[in-house]
Amino acid sequence: MRELVEAIEAPDSVPADVAALKIPGSYRAAVLRKEEADMFEGVELRDRTPADSLHIQEVPTPEPGPGEVLVAVMASAVNYNTVWSALFSPVPTFAFLERYGRLGGLAARHDLPYHVIGSDLAGVVLKSGPGVRRWHAGDRVVAHCVSVELEGAEGHGDAMLDPEQRIWGFETNYGGLAELSLVKASQLLPKAEHLTWEEAASPGLVNSTAYRQLVTNNGAGMKQGDNVLIWGAAGGLGSYATQLALAGGATPICVVSSPEKAELARRMGAELIIDRAEEGYRFWRDERTQDRKEWRRLGERIRELTGGEDPDIVFEHPGRETFGASVYVARKGGTIVTCASTAGYNHEYDNRYLWMSLKRIVGSHCAHYREAWEANRLIAKGKIHPTLSRTYALDEVGDAVESLHRNAHHGKVGVRCLAPAEGLGVTAPEFRERHETAINRFRAAPPAQHQLPTMEGVAA
Ligand code: NAP
């Protein structure tokens, strides 16, 4: 692997140098093991430790098949799906791999006794499989996390509707938390030239998800002037939703849970901020009963901040904890757009506030290739910036995932795979210089202390 990194990082490196490299027969990867899939049975989610299930091990290099590309991964990032995978929740991801494998052909290779996870990467194309024309050895790329087959008609209007749509590195094998990765050519996007490897690897999944969820007509179709209530505004999804709202002429109302996270939202340009921990919202009186007075208190606080207006859009992902409040506070005719249920997927809300006020709930999931391309273009043009707070080495991936599991991170968490150090990979230094102030402003400061409250501690 050293030769490979040297060829990529050499100042006079040309694609032919990369194309001439001998591809190693195996590589180091963050894997889950099928034989351990029941290791947490009977253990509460909060007591599960990702470092117990995640292993760094050598795995054989796959040969790229038709339409596939093998990539040298310089850096990757942790997403919340990495947390779900490592906790084997709600189901071990091996169930996804088995189902994929049953398609046969190239898909059968994904059903292995180990799962290489990870749904983001920045790196360099090493080898393209038969039929790939657009991408060549030496190309610097990031990967979009959606893998589709598109053999049926269903996905041809919106690839997210393909019955065989999967999240790479979660529902497929050969993910990005590794030295090498196998992707479909239709997942690749050009790497932003002004960013380092770890910066470039961090926005992908969350930025494209937030883009569809908030901006395009497949999601909320945000327009200028909209008030957007953003839960977790200093987290992965939320830090991009906040930027997209600001860049699109909307007004984000950012919900966070600490003064440091409020500061990050402020540095991104948000003015209306709610610290849910400081203001002590408790939407659930007990496990079964929600407190409507608390919904109202949140609604009043939003009106106080906006000068009497309600959110046109609520950007939802905490789920059970907040969903009742989200439906309540949306304006008459407003949209609650959801892509997740971190705090529980059995949502409860009072339907009278939905139908009588003609609100709509929209489900959104990741983004199709075109949406991802557009979201990536905003990064490449320096209109949206990475919100990376800390980068771990591949060996420390367990700690990196733990920080998300404990909600003890800010913005995004990166992982160095082949990159020997942070700060490498910039090929447009002048462009970077022009955006340096913004890049630094948007970079999330790592939390002051690493053991912040558990999810339960901040959930109310
Ligand atoms: P993240 O980096 O952990 O950020 C989530 C933020 O939500 C946290 O920073 C936290 O902010 C807030 N939060 C957590 N629990 C909460 C609760 N009970 N009540 C209110 N706020 C809460 O994670 P992420 O990457 O943004 O992902 C968030 C969720 O979206 C995950 O469940 C993930 O699996 C899902 N997701 C889905 C898709 C998709 O395509 N469907 C894509 C990406 C992510 P504060 O503590 O500061 O309030």
Side-chain angles (χ1 to χ4, degrees):
M1 289 290 172
R2 193 149 44 91
E3 245 178 54
L4 202 150
V5 175
E6 279 168 8
I8 291 169
E9 283 302 327
D12 52 355
S13 165
V14 289
D17 299 337
V18 178
L21 286 168
K22 187 171 175 302
I23 293 175
S26 65
Y27 65 99
R28 283 175 355 116
V31 304
L32 301 167
R33 293 178 184 154
K34 196 170 194 171
E35 78 228 27
E36 294 180 348
D38 58 0
M39 72 189 294
F40 294 133
E41 246 173 49
V43 182
E44 293 279 344
L45 266 192
R46 64 168 171 268
D47 297 328
R48 300 182 188 186
T49 306
D52 291 345
S53 59
L54 279 166
H55 306 279
I56 302 299
Q57 76 178 49
E58 202 76 14
V59 297
T61 305
E63 179 65 22
E68 293 180 340
V69 176
L70 187 69
V71 181
V73 184
M74 302 306 282
S76 182
V78 178
N79 284 294
Y80 216 90
N81 71 9
T82 327
V83 179
W84 300 126
S85 305
L87 302 184
F88 297 120
S89 174
V91 291
T93 48
F94 292 99
F96 305 143
L97 302 185
E98 285 163 19
R99 196 173 314 140
Y100 192 24
R102 282 198 290 274
L103 285 184
L106 291 178
R109 293 169 308 161
H110 289 256
D111 183 11
L112 293 167
Y114 59 85
H115 186 185
V116 181
I117 58 171
S119 303
D120 269 313
L121 70 73
V124 176
V125 170
L126 282 185
K127 186 175 179 184
S128 294
V132 176
R133 287 184 295 271
R134 185 169 194 153
W135 304 100
H136 307 282
D139 287 348
R140 293 173 171 239
V141 292
V142 292
H144 173 44
C145 66
V146 170
S147 158
V148 285
E149 309 295 320
L150 290 179
E151 285 189 325
E154 301 93 323
H156 282 262
D158 171 2
M160 290 307 295
L161 300 181
D162 182 17
E164 301 300 341
Q165 171 273 311
R166 289 180 171 80
I167 303 298
W168 154 74
F170 178 59
E171 294 164 293
T172 80
N173 220 319
Y174 310 115
L177 285 164
E179 293 175 331
L180 302 180
S181 183
L182 186 72
V183 297
K184 292 202 157 92
S186 58
Q187 286 177 248
L188 290 179
L189 307 163
K191 170 192 170 286
E193 296 176 343
H194 66 297
L195 297 181
T196 65
W197 293 116
E198 61 280 2
E199 286 169 351
S202 64
L205 183 147
V206 283
N207 184 42
S208 53
T209 302
Y211 184 76
R212 178 182 175 111
Q213 188 173 350
L214 196 55
V215 178
T216 78
N217 286 333
N218 289 317
M222 182 190 80
K223 61 183 190 325
Q224 292 185 10
D226 278 352
N227 292 315
V228 185
L229 180 73
I230 301 174
W231 291 104
L237 282 173
S239 58
Y240 292 91
T242 300
Q243 293 189 61
L244 290 166
L246 287 164
T251 303
I253 303 144
C254 293
V255 186
V256 294
S257 66
S258 71
E260 295 80 23
K261 289 183 176 184
E263 179 53 24
L264 173 60
R266 224 167 271 125
R267 286 209 313 271
M268 290 190 286
E271 291 173 352
L272 313 185
I273 297 165
I274 296 175
D275 182 336
R276 69 185 174 100
E278 189 189 342
E279 297 183 19
Y281 294 102
R282 291 215 163 263
F283 299 129
W284 288 83
R285 251 187 251 142
D286 55 52
E287 255 181 37
R288 283 154 189 248
T289 332
Q290 298 203 59
D291 188 343
R292 225 161 277 178
K293 279 206 240 84
E294 287 291 271
W295 297 351
R296 202 171 313 128
R297 186 159 75 90
L298 177 69
E300 280 163 8
R301 179 76 176 110
I302 293 168
R303 285 184 181 174
E304 197 181 300
L305 290 170
T306 57
E309 293 178 351
D310 296 326
D312 299 276
I313 299 169
V314 181
F315 186 85
E316 246 294 336
H317 51 89
R320 183 170 173 83
E321 189 71 40
T322 53
F323 206 82
S326 293
V327 171
Y328 179 85
V329 300
R331 76 153 166 81
K332 198 163 185 163
T335 302
I336 302 96
V337 63
T338 174
C339 76
S341 297
T342 314
Y345 42 74
N346 286 314
H347 299 182
E348 274 180 35
Y349 62 90
D350 186 331
N351 202 32
R352 290 170 297 178
Y353 296 112
L354 192 86
W355 99 70
M356 294 293 286
S357 293
L358 301 105
K359 304 178 187 182
R360 60 189 191 123
I361 295 171
V362 175
S364 188
H365 185 41
C366 208
H368 59 54
Y369 189 41
R370 174 74 191 261
E371 290 166 327
W373 190 282
E374 289 168 359
N376 184 57
R377 193 172 54 166
L378 293 171
I379 302 277
K381 289 187 170 196
K383 291 180 186 292
I384 301 288
H385 300 288
T387 56
L388 187 65
S389 62
R390 182 163 175 184
T391 303
Y392 293 77
L394 184 58
D395 288 321
E396 302 167 322
V397 74
D399 294 339
V401 179
E402 178 80 12
S403 71
L404 258 80
H405 177 37
R406 300 288 163 213
N407 195 15
H409 67 299
H410 292 167
K412 287 294 298 178
V413 170
V415 176
R416 258 192 312 107
C417 297
L418 283 172
E422 290 179 40
L424 303 172
V426 175
T427 50
E430 294 87 21
F431 187 78
R432 184 180 179 93
E433 221 172 284
R434 267 199 276 145
H435 290 274
E436 194 82 53
T437 314
I439 292 171
N440 290 335
R441 194 152 40 87
F442 284 73
R443 180 174 299 137
Q449 56 178 62
H450 228 61
Q451 278 310 312
L452 290 182
T454 60
M455 196 69 94
E456 280 67 31
V458 294

